[in-house]
Amino acid sequence: MKGCAVLLTAAALLNVGCTVGPRYKRPTVAVPGSYRGAVPEQAPQSQITPPQIAPLGDQKWWDVFQDEQLRTLIHAALQQNYDLRIAASRVLEAQAQLGITRADQFPTLSAGAAIADVRTAQSKFLPAFETSTGQVNASAVWQLDFWGQFRRATEAARANLLANQWARQEVVSTLVANVAAAYFQLRALDLQLEISKRTLNSRQESLRLTRILADGGSTSLLDVRQAEQLVFTASAEVPALEQQIEQQENFLSILLGQNPGDVPRGQTLTEQRQPPEIPVGLPSVLLERRPDIREAEEQLIAANAEIGVARAAYFPQISLSGAGGFQSSALTNLFTGPAGAWSFGASLTQPIFTAGRLRSGVHLAEARQETALLVYKQSIQAAFRSVSDALVAYRKTREFRVQQEFLFQSAQDAARLSHMRYTGGVTGYLEVLTNETNAFSAELALAQARLNELLALVQLYEALGGGWQQ
């Protein structure tokens, strides 16, 4: 009966108990009405882009990247990448820490048993003495969370768990973007190597014909030397590109969590499909979609709860303890008769003088909360900047790629016309040398422009908070 009364009293204390410290409220931040760099919606564009298309950041990565081989590589990276596996283990650590912290809210129960057989030797004044004692007991200790100290600590631990989960999602998003970017860079190097080898074969054939003409006296040795320069320029690109390709494969292999090795290819760089229009969605949605922003907010929630933990140390700590069991010198009578024993106690501890420790603890928690608040707001500004940078980069790289296509077509036609003029004897081989060099450089630059456009798409997808959705 007394035990029941104690439990009812403790439950009543918990019901009327309070939770000190500020309650979390999401800070007010300035959110722009639209992304800087986004193309204003016009009537013709709204007709071209169907309204049912989801914003880019909401789309799954396997819908954004259409290359089947790239999808396979991303899937392998999500299974094997060490950064992602480390982030997952940190989530498990945070889960365990939450369990440890939450356990402080509940009583601690323990049980034990002991048996002792003691014999004392005979002395001058006392005869020999032998006794046997058996004991079985159970005890409970409960520190009442009257001021919400443990509840606030649990709130902070739960927020830290969510922060670690969002940190893992951020690693996923970054990994998807890095694998896609590395793969596109590899395909761009493959294209540049193909261009260099094709150009080298063409120039070697041109050099052979020029030497035949020089041997017949139809042209000079200077033309031969100029034709050789074209060959050597193209041939010098081949080993340099082969080196970059192998190093890029090594980098991509590490992202996949594998040892350096060959990387299978899928579509060529020119076959990679891109959406004609990119819906970016509302800026306010970015606060919910970007994992780094969500991680920063959870860290702010944890820091806010820690203020309550620090303030609760000012108040009395109330503990309940109780023990009950059986003790007897005869094991046969251990659970009968007067062998039963119990005890119950309560304690209250009130800090009186701590030399400013408690006050400094509160100030420390408040300073950390202010730091977390500033980090949260800073991460939002950084997110809007990254989206704006990615939007202008994607738009301008696309415009640059279109102009580079015109430049290559013009340079290619100029090289063709210079060959015709040289064959007709109208001009010297120097004109052919100049235009061939310009055409080769323009084609390599066009490959780089196509790569930059794809990389800008990957950057925009990551900036909009895409890639972590599974």
Side-chain angles (χ1 to χ4, degrees), residues 72-92:
T72 301
L73 295 177
I74 293 176
H75 182 73
L78 294 177
Q79 297 295 323
Q80 303 170 170
N81 180 265
Y82 280 100
D83 289 335
L84 184 54
R85 291 161 67 180
I86 291 172
S89 67
R90 287 173 178 163
V91 173
L92 297 179

Side-chain angles (χ1 to χ4, degrees), residues 57-113:
D58 288 340
Q59 298 180 30
K60 307 296 190 297
W61 57 262
W62 54 86
D63 293 328
V64 175
F65 305 118
Q66 299 296 316
D67 190 328
E68 191 60 37
Q69 186 57 53
L70 174 56
R71 293 173 178 172
T72 301
L73 295 177
I74 293 176
H75 182 73
L78 294 177
Q79 297 295 323
Q80 303 170 170
N81 180 265
Y82 280 100
D83 289 335
L84 184 54
R85 291 161 67 180
I86 291 172
S89 67
R90 287 173 178 163
V91 173
L92 297 179
E93 291 179 12
Q95 287 177 338
Q97 185 60 53
L98 173 60
I100 294 172
T101 305
R102 186 171 179 270
D104 291 335
Q105 301 181 47
F106 301 94
T108 300
L109 304 177
S110 60

Side-chain angles (χ1 to χ4, degrees), residues 35-259:
Y35 294 113
R36 185 185 183 191
V39 178
E41 293 186 359
Q42 301 174 358
Q45 291 179 346
S46 61
Q47 295 173 3
I48 295 175
T49 304
Q52 65 270 19
I53 295 181
L56 180 64
D58 288 340
Q59 298 180 30
K60 307 296 190 297
W61 57 262
W62 54 86
D63 293 328
V64 175
F65 305 118
Q66 299 296 316
D67 190 328
E68 191 60 37
Q69 186 57 53
L70 174 56
R71 293 173 178 172
T72 301
L73 295 177
I74 293 176
H75 182 73
L78 294 177
Q79 297 295 323
Q80 303 170 170
N81 180 265
Y82 280 100
D83 289 335
L84 184 54
R85 291 161 67 180
I86 291 172
S89 67
R90 287 173 178 163
V91 173
L92 297 179
E93 291 179 12
Q95 287 177 338
Q97 185 60 53
L98 173 60
I100 294 172
T101 305
R102 186 171 179 270
D104 291 335
Q105 301 181 47
F106 301 94
T108 300
L109 304 177
S110 60
I115 185 170
D117 194 357
V118 180
R119 182 182 186 280
T120 59
Q122 180 179 356
S123 65
K124 181 177 180 179
F125 302 102
L126 295 174
F129 178 78
E130 183 176 353
T131 182
S132 179
T133 303
Q135 178 178 326
V136 175
N137 61 61
S139 61
V141 177
W142 191 4
Q143 184 171 345
L144 300 181
D145 192 22
F146 189 80
W147 313 108
Q149 179 181 19
F150 300 142
R151 280 170 284 169
R152 286 297 192 197
T154 302
E155 180 184 349
R158 185 176 292 109
N160 283 326
L161 170 60
L162 293 176
N164 278 278
Q165 290 176 340
W166 282 111
R168 178 186 176 277
Q169 305 290 45
E170 184 179 0
V171 173
V172 171
S173 178
T174 302
L175 179 61
V176 169
N178 287 344
V179 172
Y183 179 78
F184 290 146
Q185 289 170 340
L186 180 61
R187 298 308 280 143
L189 291 172
D190 290 337
L191 178 58
Q192 291 175 344
L193 180 61
E194 176 189 341
I195 294 170
S196 297
K197 287 183 175 180
R198 173 167 36 85
T199 302
L200 176 60
N201 293 333
S202 175
R203 291 180 176 181
Q204 286 174 338
E205 177 63 18
S206 179
L207 174 60
R208 187 185 67 82
L209 296 176
T210 303
R211 283 173 175 169
I212 292 175
L213 292 176
D215 292 341
S218 299
T219 188
S220 65
L221 185 60
L222 177 61
D223 291 344
V224 175
R225 295 292 179 261
Q226 291 174 336
E228 289 176 344
Q229 293 178 36
L230 290 176
V231 171
F232 297 150
T233 301
S235 61
E237 290 289 333
V238 173
L241 289 170
E242 290 175 341
Q243 172 190 342
Q244 295 178 54
I245 287 173
E246 188 166 341
Q247 292 174 340
Q248 188 68 17
E249 286 181 322
N250 294 342
F251 172 69
L252 192 49
S253 297
I254 297 301
L255 288 178
L256 301 180
Q258 303 171 357
N259 291 324

Side-chain angles (χ1 to χ4, degrees), residues 6 41 89 105 111 120-121 159 197 200 211-212 214 220 224 289 322 331 345 362 367 370 384 396 435 443 450 453:
V6 169
E41 293 186 359
S89 67
Q105 301 181 47
T120 59
K197 287 183 175 180
L200 176 60
R211 283 173 175 169
I212 292 175
S220 65
V224 175
R289 184 190 297 142
L331 294 180
V362 173
E370 181 66 21
F384 286 130
K396 294 304 179 181
N435 288 288
E443 190 170 10
R450 286 174 172 150
E453 186 178 0

Side-chain angles (χ1 to χ4, degrees), residues 338-361:
W342 60 268
S343 67
F344 173 76
S347 64
L348 183 148
T349 305
Q350 170 64 55
I352 297 177
F353 177 72
T354 60
R357 179 186 296 272
L358 299 181
R359 182 175 63 254
S360 297

